[in-house]
Amino acid sequence: MDTAGSGPRTATRHRLGPVALVVAGGLSVQFGAAIAVLLMPRAGALGVVTLRLVLAALVLLVVCRPTLRGHSRADWGTVVAFGAVMAAMNILFYQAADRIPLGAAVTFEVLGPLVLSVIVSRRLVNLVWAGLALGGVVLLSGGGFDRLDPVGALFALSAGAMWAAYIVFSARTGRRFPQADGLALAMGVGAVLSLPFGIAESGAKLVVPSTLGLGLAVALMSSVLPYTLELLALRRLPAPTFAVLMSLEPAIAATAGFLVLHQALSALDALAIALVIAASMGAVRTQVARNAPEGQQI
């Protein structure tokens, strides 16, 4: 049997496979977020956060069955911090998505990981990427946030800060707990922390069957499925490549907002989002070039 030429095709499939998983995860997250916006009139922004975290925690705890014994005080401190950051990130982001278009909210949010990348790198060229991102934000805000709800923009920026903290604590949790055990436990902590807010805002509305059904869809699409796909992808995909792909989130969010929520983008909005995406990709590639061995610089 002649296998000539099958090698390159197989190699291409191996390269594209994990990339497809990450892109699928991004699509799942952002279309899940669009469904969450549709659910907000029924359950409120805080209610949606509670449904997402509680239902996702139940699914992950059942699937992962993490052990509660044998962990140090530092391990539990990391999990609690991770869960608190996760709850804060979701509460802030959904407050933003309730006030400004989904694409704009994710664009502001992605500035958190971008700033983290710039700080970690400590290279002068990253000031260029920071300036490019700032230009995108100025365009998106119409020069003064008067075109967008300023409170919504502030919530999104705050969610970005929590996203940066999420990246830090996610890595720490992954080093301390096997497989996805730490994630499942942290999701449980986040669910417990968000529960009083959701009950206070929505009460019995949270247990309406149709609302629970949509909440489960949000939990699966925005938490369980993407986290699983990302874990599978990271086994074969370099972390810097993963970070570059994550920079596409604002574009995916804008597409979800347009298709599901009918949130149209102006040409200026599209340019602003493109600038932030380019800045994120540039910052990540600069970090990769800094860490690559001599002779392998990109």
Side-chain angles (χ1 to χ4, degrees):
M1 177 175 164
D2 185 9
T3 59
S6 63
R9 288 197 297 271
T10 302
T12 299
R13 284 197 297 270
H14 279 299
R15 287 195 299 267
L16 294 181
V19 171
L21 291 176
V22 176
V23 173
L27 288 168
S28 182
V29 166
Q30 300 307 335
F31 277 87
I35 293 175
V37 173
L38 292 177
L39 184 57
M40 285 178 188
R42 298 188 186 192
L46 295 174
V48 171
V49 172
T50 295
L51 287 173
R52 171 182 171 176
L53 292 181
V54 169
L55 294 174
L58 290 175
V59 172
L60 286 172
L61 289 170
V62 168
V63 171
C64 298
R65 297 182 181 179
T67 178
L68 300 179
R69 297 180 178 179
H71 302 301
S72 67
R73 183 176 298 179
D75 292 340
W76 284 112
T78 300
V79 159
V80 170
F82 187 24
V85 166
M86 193 182 302
M89 179 179 69
N90 279 278
I91 289 172
L92 292 167
F93 176 75
Y94 281 124
Q95 290 290 335
D98 195 31
R99 291 170 170 82
I100 61 178
L102 188 60
V106 176
T107 301
F108 285 125
E109 187 188 29
V110 84
L111 293 177
L114 172 60
V115 170
L116 178 64
S117 177
V118 171
I119 292 173
V120 170
S121 178
R122 298 179 182 177
R123 296 191 68 185
L124 187 61
V125 68
N126 274 302
L127 294 178
V128 176
W129 306 127
L132 194 64
L134 181 60
V137 170
V138 171
L139 286 177
L140 195 62
S141 66
F145 291 112
D146 52 339
R147 191 168 58 87
L148 294 173
D149 183 329
V151 176
L154 182 60
F155 273 128
L157 289 170
S158 300
M162 290 298 101
W163 191 0
Y166 171 92
I167 292 171
V168 173
F169 283 106
S170 176
R172 292 181 182 176
T173 301
R175 289 192 294 266
R176 290 180 175 273
F177 291 84
Q179 300 176 349
D181 287 10
L183 173 63
L185 292 170
M187 190 74 74
V189 172
V192 170
L193 292 176
S194 70
L195 194 58
F197 296 99
I199 292 175
E201 181 175 72
S202 304
K205 294 178 182 178
L206 296 177
V207 294
V208 174
S210 59
T211 300
L212 277 174
L214 286 173
L216 180 60
V218 172
L220 293 174
M221 293 179 68
S222 295
S223 295
V224 178
L225 181 59
Y227 291 150
T228 302
L229 293 175
E230 289 167 8
L231 282 173
L232 292 173
L234 281 170
R235 291 176 182 173
R236 291 184 290 157
L237 194 68
T241 305
F242 174 81
V244 169
L245 292 170
M246 292 299 288
S247 301
L248 299 175
E249 293 283 340
I252 298 174
T255 302
F258 175 73
L259 294 177
V260 179
L261 305 173
H262 308 294
Q263 296 174 342
L265 287 177
S266 68
L268 199 62
D269 292 333
L271 176 60
I273 291 173
L275 288 176
V276 174
I277 291 173
S280 298
M281 289 184 171
V284 170
R285 290 180 65 84
T286 299
Q287 181 69 8
V288 174
R290 177 174 180 262
N291 294 333
E294 186 176 351
Q296 297 181 9
Q297 299 288 314
I298 59 175

